[in-house]
Each structure stands twice: as C-alpha cells, then as structure tokens.
Amino acid sequence: MIKHVWLLTIVLLIAQISNLYSQNKNLLQKDYESLEETIDQLKGRPDVFPYLNAYLEKAKKEENLDEVINGYKNYIYEVEYGQKIAYSDSVLIASELTKKNDKIGSALLTKGIVYYSGKDYNKALDCYLYTKL
C-alpha cells in the first residue's frame, strides 16, 4: 500500500513538473509587452511569479540588458525588503554592464528608494549622492 502511495506521489510530481515546464515555455514565447501587462494585472498576488520569472529568463536568454533591468525592477515590487536589496543590486550590476550613465543613475536611484522604504536613510542618501557624481 505504501509503495502505491509513493508511486502515485512520484507520478503526480512528474506531471506537475512537466506542466510547469510547458507553462514556462509558453510564457517565454510571449512578447515583453504582454508579459508586462499580465504582471501589472497580477501585482501583489502569488501567481505573478511565473510571469516575472519568464520575463527575466527571456531577457537573459536574448541578452537584452534593458529588459533584464526591467525584469529585476519588476521583482522589486513583489518581494520582501531583504530580497528587494538583492534585486536592486542586480539592477545596478546589469545597468553597469550597459555602460550608460542614465541607466546607472536610474539603478542607483532605485537602490536608494529601496533603502529609503526600509528606513535605512543613510544608505539611501549614499545612493542618492553617488548618483550625482
């Protein structure tokens, strides 16, 4: 009996993984605009994460740094404070890869806003001041 339960559990798990893979593959075929629209509609809900993941994965596969930056910024709105810092770091790293001052400045402002929202005013000020350099 226990073997049957384990077998059923494994079969259901494989089916679920296959379903998730298929769903993610379908999402990767969507364009950025439609993914962004769906992300906006699902903001604040747990079912937004497959769309966030698809957006970021698509951008990385296409090596589209502007969309990678947007993908990380989208995550910032949906995660807890500690993760917001990590995603704002990723925004900054991707922005530095573009070597565009406007992208780097925007990333520093984003990071400052994240720190400010967490009431870490000194780090927020550091980001804002560094932006002016």
Side-chain angles (χ1 to χ4, degrees):
M1 177 73 170
I2 293 177
K3 287 182 182 181
H4 294 296
V5 172
W6 277 105
L7 182 60
L8 180 61
T9 303
I10 290 171
V11 168
L12 290 174
L13 182 61
I14 291 170
Q16 183 66 20
I17 290 170
S18 175
N19 185 29
L20 288 174
Y21 176 77
S22 175
Q23 179 186 9
N24 193 41
K25 187 176 179 183
N26 290 337
L27 290 176
L28 290 173
Q29 294 172 353
K30 291 188 172 201
D31 61 40
Y32 292 110
E33 187 176 332
S34 64
L35 286 169
E36 188 81 42
E37 287 174 9
T38 306
I39 289 167
D40 287 342
Q41 292 170 357
L42 296 175
K43 274 196 173 159
R45 296 174 40 194
D47 44 347
V48 73
F49 288 99
Y51 295 90
L52 291 171
N53 186 48
Y55 190 104
L56 189 56
E57 187 176 334
K58 177 180 177 74
K60 285 179 177 181
K61 281 185 178 180
E62 294 176 359
E63 296 180 4
N64 185 336
L65 286 175
D66 289 339
E67 296 301 341
V68 168
I69 292 165
N70 288 335
Y72 284 128
K73 283 184 176 182
N74 285 335
Y75 264 104
I76 290 172
Y77 296 109
E78 299 298 329
V79 296
E80 298 297 320
Y81 178 69
Q83 291 177 301
K84 287 179 190 288
I85 294 170
Y87 283 115
S88 67
D89 285 338
S90 296
V91 169
L92 183 56
I93 290 166
S95 297
E96 287 173 344
L97 291 173
T98 68
K99 297 183 174 144
K100 295 179 182 174
N101 288 336
D102 60 329
K103 297 284 183 189
I104 296 168
S106 176
L108 285 164
L109 288 173
T110 298
K111 189 169 176 126
I113 291 167
V114 168
Y115 279 129
Y116 189 87
S117 73
K119 297 183 178 18
D120 195 341
Y121 303 120
N122 289 329
K123 287 184 179 178
L125 181 61
D126 288 343
C127 289
Y128 299 146
L129 292 174
Y130 192 74
T131 301
K132 292 185 84 172
L133 297 178

